[in-house]
Amino acid sequence: MLQEDRVGRAANSVLVDPARLRSVERLGVGSRADAAFERIAGLVEQLIDVPVAVVTVIDGDRQFLPGQVGLPEPLATTRETPLSHSFSRHVVESGRVLVVGDVREDPQMRDSPAIRELGAAAFAGVPVTDPDGLVVGTLAVMDREPRKWTKSEITLLTDLAAVCSSEVGLRIARAIADEARAGAEEARASAEVAHDQLRLIGELTEALTATMDIEAGMGRVGRMVAGRLADWCFVTLTDPTTTKIRHVSAAHHDPAYAIDALRLAQLAESTPKVVRLVLRAVQRTGRLVREDRADPRRPALDRPEIMQIAGRMGFGSYLIVPITAPVSRRVLGAVMLVNGAARGVFGADEEHTAAEIGRRAGLAVDNSRLYGRQRHVAEVLQHSMLTELPEIPGIELHARYLPAQAGDAVGGDWYDAFVQPDGSVMVAVGDVAGHDIEAAATMGQVRNLVRGDAYGRDDPPGRLLAQLDRALHGLRVPAAATAVLARLRRDDDGYELEFANAGHPPPILLRPDGEVEVWWESPEPLLGLMPRDGRPTHRRRVAPGSMLLLYTDGLVESPSRMIDDGIDRIRSVLRANQGHTGEDLCSRVIESAPRRADDIALLLVRLT
């Protein structure tokens, strides 16, 4: 009991520590939404896939919620709770990351009113600290079901909590500056600059998080910084494994220098010595380099045209900030901020903001590297599970699979074709919901179930899909999928075709006379939702010389277009290219698609 009392007093002393409370007061968040913390909570909710994400600030007896996603009313409006309702207070008291799979079984949390009022079952929280390391709040997530938090989720939460701590540091620095120069015009100007720099870092974080294309992301860094933190900006990255130059870009705040900035980047990229000199300046120490009296004629810029362009753009002072990997601290590149003589030298606030830009750029580069590795693994997995098409007399089969050009790249799209013992041919195309390795793996299970269920059976496709529904449910395969399954039988004067459609885009037939049929039918629900006693089977007569196209929605849907527009586009491509080979026709159909936001699978069946 005495030990418990000592622990309780120590925890309470942390909450009421004067230095910590001063930092909380300087933050000035109160019971209202804060745009910067709202953005971070939104990013956490999207990236970790949780129902509730919050940024908390805790004083001596209250918890404030300046950033939140998913809290119920009235808490979403009031933004304030007593500490008795706070899981995050335990993070502040301990000063450590707290990960709880089921709060109802945790001795510290099981009696919290938040379990009943918020429906909380799982919690993970990471400390948010002030510049002195004092914990002022948390970045936290909650789930309404017990949850085993993964290492990658906690790592991501920790990285974004560091972003929150940087935000806190900037605000406290601004508050201290305001206190020191209260009432003076200089204080108001400094606060405006600090606010703009804070907003810049928030916008920069959002822009870097929004893309995994690191080339595009680094280009955004230069364009966003030029004019707001410096007159112009030069950004370079190297490949960490080969040390080869990976990216070079430059941007000036004045559009009149746009051509000069572009030419400067081109010259630097073709002159590796210049890039390496910039990098070497920060690689020695891993810290920023500042020069208040810069000269474009110095040996670092010994190519005449580079010296001329730098002189025209203004080269009075500069900062070189390392882009560092978040774990290894390895220097991956550099951001060079340059001011002309009229703008003046960089101050301490600009140094702090510039260093933060380099850190966040490094985090984005590292995330892009991890994403690229995951994308490669997923693509290899996806392609390894796609069918090798059989050779069938009288029937040509041609197929394509393409990952998305953006986003999570791979998904659950698949195609299949096989010959039954009775000589009929089964063809299928489907799409398992999701865009990740899990979706690709689930796709393999669904495709194998389709094969195993259909092979050697003479049942119509509708009955086969109904049986697949029951198998997915009974075997607890976590899949929601669309699919078209068809059977082809040759007879004396053509082909009899039977098909069933479970929530999938309609098959398209190019007839020998050049007309195109789109086989719309009454919508059927997706596979894997609820078992059904039966599904309808549709029948068509198909003449020799026809071509049947089965495909996934990525071919015909886009955020800005209706599916009907995409189908009309495919109809036009088929009509215009009827005489081409099956392989050529597949290529032309794929080439007609706009930039792919989703992966695409298609199967072209030519009947002779």
Side-chain angles (χ1 to χ4, degrees), residues 426-438:
M426 305 297 297
V427 293
V429 165
D431 183 359
V432 173
H435 296 89
D436 49 27
I437 293 177
E438 287 77 9

Side-chain angles (χ1 to χ4, degrees), residues 20-74:
R20 195 190 76 84
L21 292 178
R22 275 197 302 275
S23 289
V24 170
E25 183 180 1
R26 282 167 173 161
L27 279 176
V29 291
S31 303
R32 60 184 181 275
D34 183 283
F37 293 131
E38 288 278 271
R39 276 199 298 268
I40 293 172
L43 288 173
V44 171
E45 183 260 347
Q46 294 173 21
L47 296 175
I48 300 184
D49 190 22
V50 289
V52 178
V54 294
V55 178
T56 73
V57 174
I58 294 176
D59 67 8
D61 58 359
R62 304 292 291 175
Q63 171 179 264
F64 301 100
L65 300 157
Q68 69 86 21
V69 174
L71 289 176
E73 292 292 347

Side-chain angles (χ1 to χ4, degrees), residues 39 167 170 174 188-204 224-230 343 349-350 353 357:
R39 276 199 298 268
E167 302 279 1
L170 285 171
R174 186 183 67 184
R188 289 196 296 271
S190 177
E192 290 173 4
V193 169
H195 179 71
D196 183 63
Q197 291 172 4
L198 178 64
R199 187 168 64 246
L200 170 62
I201 290 178
E203 292 171 3
L204 191 68
M224 294 177 72
V225 168
R228 299 175 69 175
L229 200 61
R343 189 180 183 113
D349 289 344
E350 285 88 355
T353 303
I357 288 170

Side-chain angles (χ1 to χ4, degrees), residues 77 99-100 203 248 259 280 283 295 304 392 459 489 501 514 594:
T77 299
V99 179
V100 182
E203 292 171 3
V248 176
I259 295 177
R280 199 172 297 141
Q283 281 175 333
D295 184 352
I392 306 170
D459 299 50
R489 285 191 176 91
N501 188 330

Side-chain angles (χ1 to χ4, degrees), residues 179-389:
E179 292 166 5
R181 298 185 293 269
E185 183 64 32
E186 184 181 354
R188 289 196 296 271
S190 177
E192 290 173 4
V193 169
H195 179 71
D196 183 63
Q197 291 172 4
L198 178 64
R199 187 168 64 246
L200 170 62
I201 290 178
E203 292 171 3
L204 191 68
T205 300
E206 196 167 323
L208 290 172
T209 307
T211 181
M212 288 298 172
D213 182 347
I214 202 61
E215 295 286 328
M218 292 301 104
R220 291 177 186 176
V221 169
R223 291 191 297 273
M224 294 177 72
V225 168
R228 299 175 69 175
L229 200 61
D231 283 338
W232 57 279
C233 180
F234 177 86
V235 182
T236 183
L237 283 178
T238 59
D239 188 309
T241 57
T242 66
T243 70
K244 290 183 178 179
I245 297 171
R246 179 179 175 185
H247 170 88
V248 176
S249 63
H252 197 288
H253 78 95
D254 187 343
Y257 293 102
I259 295 177
D260 277 337
L262 178 61
R263 179 59 179 162
L264 180 68
Q266 292 170 342
L267 290 169
E269 189 168 15
S270 64
T271 313
K273 178 183 177 183
V274 172
V275 175
R276 291 194 181 96
L277 284 169
V278 172
L279 288 171
R280 199 172 297 141
V282 291
Q283 281 175 333
R284 297 190 193 97
T285 64
R287 294 191 295 270
L288 67 79
V289 172
R290 173 175 168 174
E291 176 58 63
D292 291 343
R293 291 187 296 276
D295 184 352
R297 296 170 298 177
R298 62 189 302 177
L301 299 175
D302 60 0
R303 185 163 175 175
E305 191 175 355
I306 291 180
M307 292 190 292
Q308 293 166 8
I309 293 174
R312 283 199 302 270
M313 293 169 64
F315 203 78
S317 58
Y318 65 77
L319 289 175
I320 304 177
V321 182
I323 297 174
T324 53
V327 177
S328 68
R329 311 306 300 168
R330 183 175 182 178
V331 175
L332 307 173
V335 179
M336 184 175 185
L337 306 172
V338 186
N339 281 340
R343 189 180 183 113
V345 300
F346 294 93
D349 289 344
E350 285 88 355
E351 284 190 18
H352 181 84
T353 303
E356 186 63 24
I357 288 170
R359 196 192 72 79
R360 297 195 189 192
L363 182 62
V365 173
D366 201 52
N367 286 342
S368 175
R369 179 183 59 82
L370 294 174
Y371 166 78
R373 183 183 300 169
Q374 181 178 3
R375 174 180 176 131
H376 174 71
V377 170
E379 286 182 5
V380 170
L381 174 65
Q382 177 104 30
H383 283 286
S384 71
M385 292 189 292
L386 292 173
T387 302
E388 183 176 345
L389 296 176

